[in-house]
Amino acid sequence: MPYLDHAATTPMLPESLDAYVRVARELGNASSLHGSGRSARRTVEESRERLSEALGAKPSELVFTGSGTEADNLAVKGMHWARRTEARNRVVTTAIEHHAIADAVAWLGDHERADVTELPVDEVGRVKVEALAELLAERAAEITAITCMWANNEVGTLQPLEEIAALAEAHGIPVHTDAVQAVGHVAVDFGASGVDSLALSGHKLGGPAGAGALLLRRDTKVTPLLHGGGQEREIRSGTLDVPGIAALAEAAVIAVSRQKDEATRLAALRDDLVERIRAAVPDAIYNGDPVDRLPGNAHFSFPGCEGDALLMLLDAAGVECATGSACSAGIAQPSHVLLAMGAGEFDARSSLRFTLGWSTTQADVDALLAALPESVERARSAGLS
Amino acid sequence: MVEGVKLRVLAAMSGGVDSAVAAARAVEAGHDVTGVHLALSKNPQTYRTGARGCCTIEDSRDARRAADVIGIPFYVWDMAERFHEDVVEDFYAEYAAGRTPNPCLRCNEKIKFAAVLDRAMALGFDAVATGHYARKGDDGLLRRAVDPAKDQSYVLAVLNPAQLAHSMFPLGDTPKDLVRVEAEERGLAVARKPDSHDICFIADGDTSGFLKNKLGSKEGEIVDAASGEVLGSHDGAHQFTVGQRHGLGLKRPAADGKPRYVLSITPVDNRVEVGPREALRVDRIHTGAPVWLGPERTEPFEAEVQLRAHGEVYPATVVPSPKGLRAELHQGAFGVAAGQALVVYDPDAAEHNDASAGVGDRGDAVLCSGTIDATGLNDAAVSSGSAAGV
Ligand SMILES: Cc1ncc(COP(=O)(O)O)c(C=O)c1O
């Protein structure tokens, strides 16, 4: 089955699955003091060391979480709570964040009366750094935290994080980045990036879902979301998921070690896919930055087609992909990312995202191209309702 | 559609037991089935909540669960805008004009077997299957379901032959209680979900409040039709339906102590006329332009007519014309409201007389239908225009 939806989730690497199964057979709570507990703790700490090293972080900077979403919430809410005062109550985000960030920030606005500033993006979906510079010139003292994703999950555009981190640092404002789509797919060095915290998720890089992590500088304060047994430096309570952690670390270490070669391989496949889609559907719009993007991401609008209808037709033809945008009660909403990039409502509803991953082969791309032209024609005749 | 041919079928799945079993049966008949839940409200919370409506998030989840159990792909189609324009706005407009619309019928006519069917056809499907209780005969006619209490041929009678040709009603040959048993056997969790009865877009079932909200309230008089005496007041003529007996709020009983009924509604002067049940009697009904499901006729013919969903059936002489039908009822009918459909059936003689008749063509067949415009008595002038009644 041609699967072109690796940004939604990617298969577990065999090594990661093996690690999971091996560790899951073992008994032990990593907080217990006896032998079983010590053995579990050792697995956790080895995983912490391997994972942090692969990402240019120190072991003490790594907090295991139950998902990418949790890591994002912990960072954004936690930093805001830790730093807010009467005069400092503003969170800065971007117009293209995943819901794990966007909704957490919106919640701070709606329920905690935080002021929210959304940085705009240009037509390829890159955050406008000038907008942040202007904002900082006027209101730096009001800002608790800045959050900006590393790579966009819909259109794949890489973000100017180093510039953002440099600007923020001058004002002493912490920066969080949602790097869930980036880790294992592009080079990520936490220490060199200049950000204060970084979220990642197991199931986007060949590990299990329900395992995530937050890289967090030691001097960056966050107020915890979860209170309890005080695990993970009292920042994230909850009995550690030892097999999940072992499998996450295994997958991340392998993905990072193969990242360069894999990026080259996927970008070549992706470029072939893009070229052939453009030939087959000449009016298709290739969204996002044509160069500076995730190697496995291709995102198109097909004018006159509803993304949903295309998705259904491709699914019926055995090809799995995504519209890329969120849905509410199963109803596709026009993509907020495309709208922020200046697309009209119709183009924002007529998009499809094809994402390639470690198990993708040329045959998957060929299968898509075999099914796509007829599907586009059909979807077009059904029109936009 | 030929028996035994594998078709690409779009099963409309409301989240209820009927449409789930209908989809499962379509699969079992060998078709290539895709389930679709129609999202009819932009804001699902504002429509009915609880387990009995057709447009809530739970319903959408129930439909998805059923599709998963059946093992078919499932999608949600956003039909909220079309539904609002063609069904909800029509509902308001009809009441505002003193008529009584049937939104389920309108939804079948404009949404399920129009917008949805058109889209399905464009996407390469051959037919739309629903959980309606009705049969399609071997002769292609729309017929009543086996289960008379569940029969929904009335709300499907507005379909034209082309729409009907691309429709499937897999439940028409089964009584409802057996459909529930079958759902249970198939492991469908919706097996015990209660039936939906009321209007799906009126969250609390309070039609009068819903109309008041949109159309506003304006005080008007309730008048005795015979004497012209003012009996009471109301806060909007659109709240009433011809034939309505309850909720008139009249303090004084009629002189003869008998209940009074709404006889007519005149929106222009916001006037509601009431009178005794005898005054509701009509035996002549006019409709707007008919839709023919059977062969079109030009000469008067004998048939049975039904004047509202699950209503009584009246023998009548039907006088057709391209502009409208006229039905001369052999006995009077009571409480006939403009805006409802008049559906003309050819009674199934075989069903009553000849048990050996082919099962494929059983059940009363729908010949044609039209929207009721005006009613009257044979020997009196027919009242016309927006208001129904004597
Ligand atoms: C950019 C981004 N952030 C956060 C998440 C959420 O991660 P998780 O699925 O681990 O909660 C996702 C994945 O859906 C994502 O793509």
Side-chain angles (χ1 to χ4, degrees), chain A residues 77-338:
Chain A
K77 291 178 185 159
M79 282 180 190
H80 177 71
W81 286 332
R83 276 178 41 87
R84 80 176 149 189
T85 63
E86 201 125 303
R88 187 166 62 211
N89 191 28
R90 179 177 298 276
V91 182
V92 178
T93 181
T94 82
I96 55 163
E97 296 299 309
H98 185 272
H99 281 278
I101 293 287
D103 290 24
V105 172
W107 181 86
L108 287 173
D110 294 343
H111 295 271
E112 308 239 312
R113 295 164 186 251
D115 298 315
V116 173
T117 303
E118 233 177 48
L119 299 175
V121 297
D122 62 16
E123 65 282 359
V124 299
R126 187 187 336 275
V127 170
K128 291 184 170 165
V129 179
E130 322 86 80
L132 178 62
E134 279 167 35
L135 181 73
L136 289 173
E138 285 169 27
R139 326 197 114 170
E142 294 174 21
I143 298 169
T144 54
I146 299 170
T147 183
C148 173
M149 64 201 325
W150 194 296
N152 180 261
N153 51 299
E154 288 187 36
V155 298
T157 302
L158 300 174
Q159 301 302 323
L161 256 183
E162 286 186 24
E163 293 170 60
I164 288 172
L167 279 175
E169 186 167 22
H171 296 274
I173 303 167
V175 174
H176 169 68
T177 186
D178 174 350
V180 167
Q181 292 289 343
V183 171
H185 301 282
V186 293
V188 170
D189 185 324
F190 179 67
S193 69
V195 301
D196 296 83
S197 70
L198 178 153
L200 63 104
S201 172
H203 71 113
K204 311 285 187 179
L205 47 75
L214 185 69
L215 300 179
L216 178 68
R217 281 189 205 289
R218 290 304 306 244
D219 54 359
T220 304
K221 290 213 159 45
V222 297
T223 303
L225 298 175
L226 305 180
H227 298 89
Q231 292 89 345
E232 298 298 277
R233 290 161 45 194
E234 307 252 347
I235 289 170
R236 199 273 184 182
S237 285
T239 299
L240 290 171
D241 169 14
V242 185
I245 286 168
L248 164 63
E250 185 69 28
V253 167
I254 293 173
V256 169
S257 72
R258 294 180 187 162
Q259 183 268 320
K260 240 172 139 184
D261 293 344
E262 190 59 5
T264 309
R265 185 185 79 88
L266 286 184
L269 275 179
R270 190 265 323 272
D271 291 346
D272 174 53
L273 178 153
V274 169
E275 206 170 292
R276 287 163 69 188
I277 288 183
R278 284 178 146 159
V281 188
D283 62 343
I285 304 163
Y286 188 37
N287 297 309
D289 192 308
V291 181
D292 211 6
R293 71 192 296 145
L294 290 170
N297 173 293
H299 189 282
F300 283 93
S301 292
F302 296 96
C305 300
E306 201 158 272
D308 257 9
L310 264 179
L311 182 91
M312 182 184 89
L313 292 164
L314 287 173
D315 185 15
V319 178
E320 301 184 325
C321 60
T323 59
S325 58
C327 56
S328 120
I331 305 168
Q333 304 295 311
S335 154
H336 69 286
V337 175
L338 290 187

Side-chain angles (χ1 to χ4, degrees), chain A residues 306 308-313 315-316 328-333 349 375 377-379 381-385, chain B residues 8 10 34 36 39 41-42 44 57 60 64 73 75-79 82 118-119 121-125:
Chain A
E306 201 158 272
D308 257 9
L310 264 179
L311 182 91
M312 182 184 89
L313 292 164
D315 185 15
S328 120
I331 305 168
Q333 304 295 311
R349 277 175 52 191
S375 300
E377 199 176 307
R378 274 246 159 95
S381 71
L384 285 156
S385 67
Chain B
R8 294 201 59 209
L10 188 88
T34 296
V36 158
S41 164
K42 280 271 178 231
I57 290 175
S60 155
R64 181 183 299 276
Y75 300 92
V76 178
W77 282 7
D78 181 3
M79 289 284 156
R82 296 289 298 263
D118 288 349
R119 191 173 146 92
M121 300 287 286
L123 291 173
F125 290 94

